[in-house]
Amino acid sequence: RLMKERLDVGARDAEGLRQRVDEMELEKAEFEARASASRDKGTLHEKQLKASQERQDSLVAELRKQSDVIVEKNIELAALKEEMERHRGEASQGQAEAAGVQKRLRGR
């Protein structure tokens, strides 16, 4: 009879342990699912960050290119302004010479 009671207690303990093992396995599966979802979310964020950095790098490169074009155009514009001033000076000199010639012609 004592043996039977011990067997019953052992059986109850074993059943309790089996239930606890089942609970722990369920907790483990839930944890693994959360960890996997977290890894997937992290991977997604990494991909989004990389794409964002690539877009930013592309925009910076485009801005640099546009800046170089602006610098070139400013250099061209400065050269054209110099040329225009030179032509104005030459035109003024030509007008002065023409006025001098007209004076001489009138004086005759």
Side-chain angles (χ1 to χ4, degrees):
R1 190 173 142 222
L2 185 61
M3 238 357 203
K4 181 157 176 25
E5 285 177 18
R6 285 187 180 166
L7 285 174
D8 288 344
V9 167
R12 282 194 305 266
D13 287 348
E15 182 59 32
L17 286 174
R18 272 194 295 272
Q19 286 178 352
R20 184 65 190 131
V21 166
D22 289 345
E23 290 170 4
M24 291 176 86
E25 285 178 348
L26 182 61
E27 287 173 8
K28 179 183 173 190
E30 289 172 353
F31 176 80
E32 287 174 350
R34 284 194 307 272
S36 176
S38 183
R39 276 192 303 275
D40 292 347
K41 193 174 184 181
T43 300
L44 175 64
H45 287 307
E46 285 177 24
K47 287 178 181 176
Q48 289 172 335
L49 178 61
K50 185 176 180 182
S52 178
Q53 283 179 311
E54 287 172 356
R55 281 192 306 274
Q56 187 177 15
D57 291 345
S58 174
L59 288 173
V60 166
E62 183 61 29
L63 286 173
R64 282 191 178 132
K65 197 185 310 179
Q66 289 178 4
S67 176
D68 291 346
V69 168
I70 289 170
V71 168
E72 279 181 37
K73 295 297 179 188
N74 282 339
I75 291 170
E76 290 175 20
L77 183 60
L80 287 172
K81 282 181 180 179
E82 273 183 37
E83 188 178 342
M84 192 172 73
E85 289 301 317
R86 193 178 74 247
H87 288 303
R88 275 192 188 142
E90 290 171 0
S92 293
Q93 186 179 354
Q95 285 176 346
E97 289 174 6
V101 168
Q102 282 181 345
K103 264 187 174 177
R104 280 188 301 215
L105 287 175
R106 282 189 202 132
R108 288 187 180 180

